[in-house]
Amino acid sequence: MWCALIEQGNFVSMPQLRSRAPRVAGVLAIPPMLGAAWLTVASLSILIVATIDASTSRALVEAVTALAVVPVGVAAAWLGWRVGRQPAMAGWPLFVPALLALSILALSSVPILGDALGEARAAVAVAIAVWCLLLTGLVVAVRRLASRIPWPAAVLALSLAGFALLDLTFMAYGGIATFTNPAALYLWYPSTLTMYDFGSPGAATELAEHLKGLPSLLTTCTAFTLALAETVGRYARRLAAE
């Protein structure tokens, strides 16, 4: 990949840079846009639940917050599908994880906003780096295999692969940060997202306090990237056949 980047850079001209700059800016804007969408959906859901029942328990609020990632993730996948159908995006999926990771790292470095993406900044940076590397490898595989399997099977495979990718990401976070109530091995991601104690009692609450909005943001960005890569791979094979 490094050699490919160098080779592409040797042939890039200023007009090409100007033509690609809007796409780069658009990809960099994806994380803050998805983060704002998730925060809006979660806030509205909590407000509706609290309006219906004023004595809403904390467990119900946490469940509603976790479920808010579902509609935003679906919208992110739809956006990736729409963007991936553009012929100009044919060579972009390989660079999307790095651009998204840079944008998320920039968000996490903002003094107040960064606290909403995790308390341990070093662990957040390691988790984002691991996520970027794993997602880049998965994008390469998706582009090669997208057109060889039926679309329903591809969606299922991408969902399982994305889940495993995110779980490995937050296991990397757990290897850097210090917890008094560690979650069960291999279940960092579901414990964080669902607020269910797969490990010792109180593990999910401690994870949520550490990670805050990072799991939801990485989930929606993963959905966008995999949908983009799958669409580009499927359309590229179709155009080559024609």
Side-chain angles (χ1 to χ4, degrees):
M1 183 170 65
W2 177 250
C3 292
L5 289 173
I6 293 176
E7 183 179 357
Q8 290 291 326
N10 291 334
F11 296 99
V12 173
S13 62
M14 288 305 297
Q16 289 175 325
L17 288 176
R18 284 194 294 268
S19 65
R20 294 174 182 177
R23 297 192 188 95
V24 172
V27 175
L28 292 175
I30 293 294
M33 181 182 68
L34 293 178
W38 172 78
L39 184 61
T40 301
V41 172
S43 301
L44 290 176
S45 302
I46 293 173
L47 181 61
I48 293 172
V49 171
T51 303
I52 296 174
D53 185 4
S55 59
T56 304
S57 64
R58 178 179 178 179
L60 181 59
V61 171
E62 293 170 347
V64 170
T65 303
L67 289 174
V69 76
V70 175
V72 181
V74 172
W78 175 84
L79 180 62
W81 174 75
R82 286 294 302 269
V83 173
R85 297 182 66 184
Q86 300 177 10
M89 296 299 295
W92 280 80
L94 189 63
F95 304 99
V96 168
L99 292 174
L100 294 178
L102 287 174
S103 180
I104 297 172
L105 281 173
L107 290 175
S108 66
S109 64
V110 178
I112 298 177
L113 183 62
D115 295 335
L117 296 178
E119 295 181 352
R121 297 297 177 87
V124 170
V126 169
I128 294 173
V130 170
W131 174 79
C132 177
L133 292 174
L134 293 175
L135 188 58
T136 302
L138 188 55
V139 163
V140 174
V142 168
R143 290 189 64 185
R144 291 180 178 272
L145 300 175
S147 60
R148 301 179 183 179
I149 57 177
W151 187 78
V155 172
L156 177 61
L158 290 177
S159 300
L160 295 176
F163 181 90
L165 181 152
L166 290 165
D167 200 38
L168 290 172
T169 297
F170 291 107
M171 286 174 60
Y173 182 96
I176 302 298
T178 303
F179 297 98
T180 56
N181 298 306
L185 191 61
Y186 307 129
L187 295 174
W188 289 89
Y189 172 63
S191 181
T192 304
L193 195 63
T194 64
M195 294 297 296
Y196 182 80
D197 288 319
F198 290 99
S200 57
T205 301
E206 186 176 10
L207 281 172
E209 291 176 353
H210 265 263
L211 292 166
K212 298 181 173 64
L214 185 62
S216 299
L217 182 58
L218 292 186
T219 299
T220 53
C221 288
T222 301
F224 168 81
T225 306
L226 294 182
L228 173 67
E230 196 276 339
T231 305
V232 169
R234 194 172 295 275
Y235 273 81
R237 182 62 63 90
R238 184 181 302 177
L239 291 175
E242 293 177 352

